Amino acid sequence: MGLKAIVKKNRAVYRLANAVRKLPYPLIRAYMAACHALRGVDGKKVYFSSFSGKLYNENPKYVCEALHEIAPDAKIVFRLNAQGMRQTDVPAYVHKV
């Protein structure tokens, strides 16, 4: 069951989603800024995923490596599943999750 179907089945969530959708953009932006101020956002952390975490490969791999050359202090996080975790060619500066 998709997210839209779940939201439509739950009337309270559906009403809330419609109310939020109708809010003016500056109000939504202020809400997001408040959430970021309370929760915190790490501006140096970058998240990558390739083929649902199957492997460290393709474009995300090359973007990740180019980013490391440009900004070596960036925290690079790469999503990998069990198959990807066994991969040995993942550089040490990449945090596997």
Side-chain angles (χ1 to χ4, degrees):
M1 180 181 295
L3 183 61
K4 278 187 176 181
I6 293 170
V7 169
K8 283 186 177 183
K9 284 181 87 173
N10 187 335
R11 288 184 184 195
V13 173
Y14 185 71
R15 287 184 189 137
L16 179 64
N18 277 335
V20 168
R21 197 175 316 148
K22 293 175 185 175
L23 289 174
Y25 178 73
L27 186 59
I28 294 172
R29 186 170 178 183
Y31 171 75
M32 293 303 294
C35 288
H36 289 172
L38 292 173
R39 174 88 172 142
V41 175
D42 189 352
K44 294 209 178 248
K45 188 178 285 186
V46 184
Y47 177 83
F48 291 95
S49 180
S50 178
F51 296 110
S52 300
K54 290 181 183 172
L55 294 170
Y56 174 73
N57 64 355
E58 298 294 327
N59 287 345
K61 172 185 176 180
Y62 300 115
V63 171
C64 170
E65 291 171 356
L67 174 66
H68 181 69
E69 289 177 16
I70 296 168
D73 58 332
K75 297 175 188 172
I76 299 173
V77 179
F78 210 102
R79 175 181 169 236
L80 294 170
N81 61 17
Q83 175 187 359
M85 287 290 193
R86 291 190 298 268
Q87 206 171 351
T88 58
D89 64 338
V90 180
Y93 57 83
V94 174
H95 300 283
K96 301 186 277 186
V97 293

